[in-house]
Amino acid sequence: MFAQVKVTRRKLLQWSAVFAAGASVAGGFIRGSSASASTGGLYDELEELTIAEMQARMRQGSLSSRGLVERYLARIQALDTYGPKVNSVLEINPDAREIASALDQERRVRGARGPLHGIPILLKENIDTADKMMTTAGSLALIGSAPQQDATVVKRLREAGAVILGKTNLSEWANFRSFRSSSGWSARGGQTRNPYALDRNPCGSSSGSGAAVAANFCAAALGTETDGSIVCPSSTNGIVGIKPTVGLTSRAGVVPISHSQDTVGPMARTVADAATVLSAIAGVAGSNIDYTRYLDPNGLQGARIGVPRKFFYGYSEETDAIAEEAIRAMNDAGAAIIDPADIPTAEQMFSDPAEFEVLLYEFKADLNAYLASRSGVQVRTLAELIEFNKKHADEELKYFGQEIFLLAEEKGPLTEPAYLDALERSHRLSRQEGIDAVMDRYELDALVAPTGSPAWPIDLINGDHYLGGSSSPAAMAGYPLISVPAGFAFGLPVGITFMGRAFSEPTLIQLAYAFEQATRARRPPQFLDTIAF
């Protein structure tokens, strides 16, 4: 659930081991042979179709859930499995057609359950489903029998009438295995590619979900995030991603990294679609919120938006140019921009190893607990998983190693002072002394920063070429983020992130929706081969 894991010179010296977790600008453009030059009307009619539009057509009788499923499966076959081979969908639900047909019949007899009735949704492949699909986190070690029950978020999607269309590829073990990984690669699924330029990385670890949504292979998808893994692929694939407050959506039945930071969230082409999915999966039965109530096109008027310049800007000229245009658009839409509004502890959060220490401890404890709950798989502990990878090195370790696994295995129980001290520092620096402090000082509704840089070239030899991002403070705090398309650099999407306090999703959705409506920055990918400068 990490966007990426990377060693930098500064952090390596400080930690010894660490993670890093619309008009075109910059005078560039994307060029190359279009791999989707002839997709045919069957596939084109799905492009940019919203959930509300799908529901309207099903109510009118001009479309059915079965028809939607058939069309998405045909598009996946043509553009993901073959054609440009985005390689974002790891497994198709063999029962999807029958489920859709049953939901069509239910609609005719009893009416729709709600806005997700009959809507095809893809899941990141670290989310349990008790059906004919596997849950492996991309690893060969978990190939075997399916989990015995659905993850809670899957149960809620099914109750809402969604069709689980299949599962998406991901960075293996949510990108928490090596410092030199290539986001979007798993031993089971291979390398996912970016549909805007197929030689570019889709970012991780919810890479398949991001690429599939961008390419119109589903109505929406679920991703998971520990630090950046929803918002980074949302940015590089030109879609909307909501990383909810930790605890707003259930983690039960999700292959874990960290109970302090893991969260499940929606990835969609519009803020409205993402809000619709979040409404279905958030909260507990009978007490969830309808987040679509906060879709106000005038939502930026009177809002106080802070710009945390230090550490979250300046790593990419192209990204900064897009962010400046986004900030001007917010100002033009009526927001008061407080610039700068720096997070006081930003430098400490970057230099202190607290977050990584917490993740190492919790990964060992949480993964061992998860594996103990699975039957019919080849490993039951992190130690056994390490040995499995050694024995299957030609498949599992051929591009990068498992240094993070080894570091985690050395950790003791969650009662150790080193863990408790690191957890306290991580929360204090990011919460009361960090995000809360700057928002209190300037009476802010949200902070905004670029989500990350344009997508880098896929590099299985050296790993990710990650320049920077803005996900870590909220990741450490367990606070929410929303990334929205903001523009393009050389034809590659870049998003802007809205961040706020715990459980401020209504405010962030209102701001993100108003920004989206004011800018309309998203445009669909063309499945081009590469960038020509």
Side-chain angles (χ1 to χ4, degrees):
M1 294 169 227
F2 254 33
Q4 56 282 310
V5 184
K6 176 184 173 66
V7 175
T8 65
R9 183 184 299 271
R10 179 177 65 178
K11 293 184 183 180
L12 181 63
L13 292 173
Q14 291 166 335
W15 300 3
S16 299
V18 74
F19 63 89
S24 295
V25 299
F29 58 93
I30 204 164
R31 183 170 61 200
S33 60
S34 175
S36 62
S38 179
T39 59
L42 174 65
Y43 316 122
D44 293 344
E45 69 178 273
L46 293 175
E47 283 202 356
E48 306 304 283
L49 203 61
T50 68
I51 290 174
E53 289 168 341
M54 293 175 197
Q55 288 294 352
R57 295 187 189 188
M58 287 191 279
R59 283 194 301 270
Q60 295 162 2
S62 61
L63 185 65
S64 66
S65 178
R66 175 68 178 247
L68 263 177
V69 167
E70 295 283 6
R71 286 164 172 79
Y72 275 127
L73 292 179
R75 186 173 172 91
I76 290 168
Q77 182 82 353
L79 302 177
D80 196 64
T81 308
Y82 300 105
K85 298 188 73 169
V86 177
N87 200 37
S88 63
V89 180
L90 188 55
E91 189 170 6
I92 294 296
N93 184 354
D95 296 327
R97 294 177 177 86
E98 288 70 26
I99 292 170
S101 294
L103 288 165
D104 286 333
Q105 176 63 14
E106 181 180 326
R107 181 188 293 270
R108 287 190 290 269
V109 174
R110 285 180 251 172
R113 302 182 193 182
L116 287 185
H117 190 105
I119 301 297
I121 305 288
L122 287 169
L123 308 174
K124 185 177 180 181
E125 202 262 5
N126 62 348
I127 300 174
D128 286 351
T129 54
D131 51 22
K132 296 174 184 176
M133 295 186 289
M134 290 187 286
T135 302
T136 70
S139 172
L140 304 179
L142 292 191
I143 290 179
S145 60
Q148 296 180 346
Q149 61 183 10
D150 284 338
T152 301
V153 289
V154 176
K155 181 175 182 287
R156 291 181 67 85
L157 284 176
R158 295 195 204 273
E159 290 171 347
V163 179
I164 306 303
L165 188 64
K167 295 194 176 183
T168 59
N169 198 22
L170 70 163
S171 306
E172 185 174 316
W173 295 109
N175 233 354
F176 202 71
R177 200 190 83 185
S178 172
F179 297 119
R180 209 166 47 77
S181 62
S182 173
S183 289
W185 183 89
S186 71
R188 184 182 175 203
Q191 177 68 53
T192 296
R193 306 200 286 173
N194 191 307
Y196 285 88
L198 296 166
D199 62 348
R200 294 271 156 169
N201 196 284
C203 198
S205 66
S206 305
S207 46
S209 294
V213 169
N216 287 272
F217 296 153
C218 57
L222 294 190
T224 65
E225 177 161 331
T226 305
D227 190 336
S229 283
I230 288 174
V231 295
C232 186
S234 294
S235 177
T236 59
N237 290 283
I239 63 169
V240 175
I242 300 179
K243 177 251 178 182
T245 304
V246 172
L248 182 67
T249 57
S250 174
R251 300 182 300 275
V254 179
V255 181
I257 289 179
S258 159
H259 60 266
S260 294
Q261 294 187 196
D262 291 353
T263 186
V264 182
M267 303 171 75
R269 288 177 291 276
T270 68
V271 175
D273 285 354
T276 298
V277 176
L278 182 63
S279 299
I281 65 172
V284 295
S287 64
N288 57 305
I289 298 174
D290 178 7
Y291 289 99
T292 64
R293 292 166 42 203
Y294 303 99
L295 299 174
D296 180 1
N298 300 311
L300 281 164
Q301 290 183 6
R304 292 179 59 81
I305 307 293
V307 182
R309 292 279 173 187
K310 289 183 180 178
F311 293 97
F312 306 110
Y313 291 73
Y315 53 81
S316 163
E317 291 181 3
E318 293 80 11
T319 297
D320 283 351
I322 292 169
E324 297 304 335
E325 287 290 338
I327 292 167
R328 280 192 286 272
M330 294 176 209
N331 184 67
D332 291 345
I337 304 300
I338 293 80
D339 186 4
D342 292 320
I343 298 174
T345 53
E347 184 172 5
Q348 290 172 271
M349 283 189 277
F350 273 90
S351 62
D352 193 309
E355 181 187 12
F356 191 53
E357 188 79 353
V358 168
L359 299 187
L360 290 174
Y361 271 97
E362 293 188 358
F363 179 67
K364 180 181 179 180
D366 295 354
L367 183 65
N368 283 346
Y370 173 84
L371 293 174
S373 73
R374 292 286 299 271
S375 61
V377 295
Q378 302 175 70
V379 297
R380 302 301 295 274
T381 65
L382 175 58
E384 291 181 7
L385 175 57
I386 290 169
E387 291 306 311
F388 177 94
N389 287 342
K390 291 178 181 177
K391 291 177 183 177
H392 299 84
D394 289 348
E395 296 169 291
E396 284 286 357
L397 306 179
K398 61 182 177 180
Y399 297 122
F400 50 86
Q402 54 179 345
E403 317 91 78
I404 295 176
F405 278 10
L406 297 173
L407 290 170
E409 179 57 27
E410 293 174 358
K411 298 300 181 184
L414 300 185
T415 54
E416 288 192 349
Y419 163 73
L420 297 173
D421 290 346
L423 182 63
E424 186 278 330
R425 289 201 317 277
S426 181
H427 284 167
R428 173 170 46 81
L429 290 173
S430 59
R431 293 177 180 176
Q432 60 264 39
E433 295 180 8
I435 294 173
D436 292 342
V438 68
M439 294 190 72
D440 285 343
R441 179 180 179 184
Y442 296 109
E443 299 180 329
L444 301 176
D445 295 296
L447 296 164
V448 294
T451 310
S453 67
W456 54 88
I458 292 169
D459 187 347
L460 286 165
I461 298 173
N462 299 303
D464 289 344
H465 305 292
Y466 177 73
L467 296 180
S470 55
S471 63
S472 288
M476 295 167 67
Y479 288 1
L481 300 171
I482 301 182
S483 180
V484 184
F488 288 81
F490 298 97
L492 296 170
V494 173
I496 195 84
T497 285
F498 294 83
M499 66 183 80
R501 303 174 189 270
F503 301 105
S504 64
E505 283 82 357
T507 297
L508 298 185
I509 287 170
Q510 176 178 312
L511 300 174
Y513 181 74
F515 172 78
E516 175 194 58
Q517 297 305 299
T519 58
R520 304 281 183 173
R522 173 174 161 80
R523 59 177 185 257
Q526 297 298 306
F527 307 94
L528 303 177
D529 295 324
T530 189
I531 294 174
F533 296 97

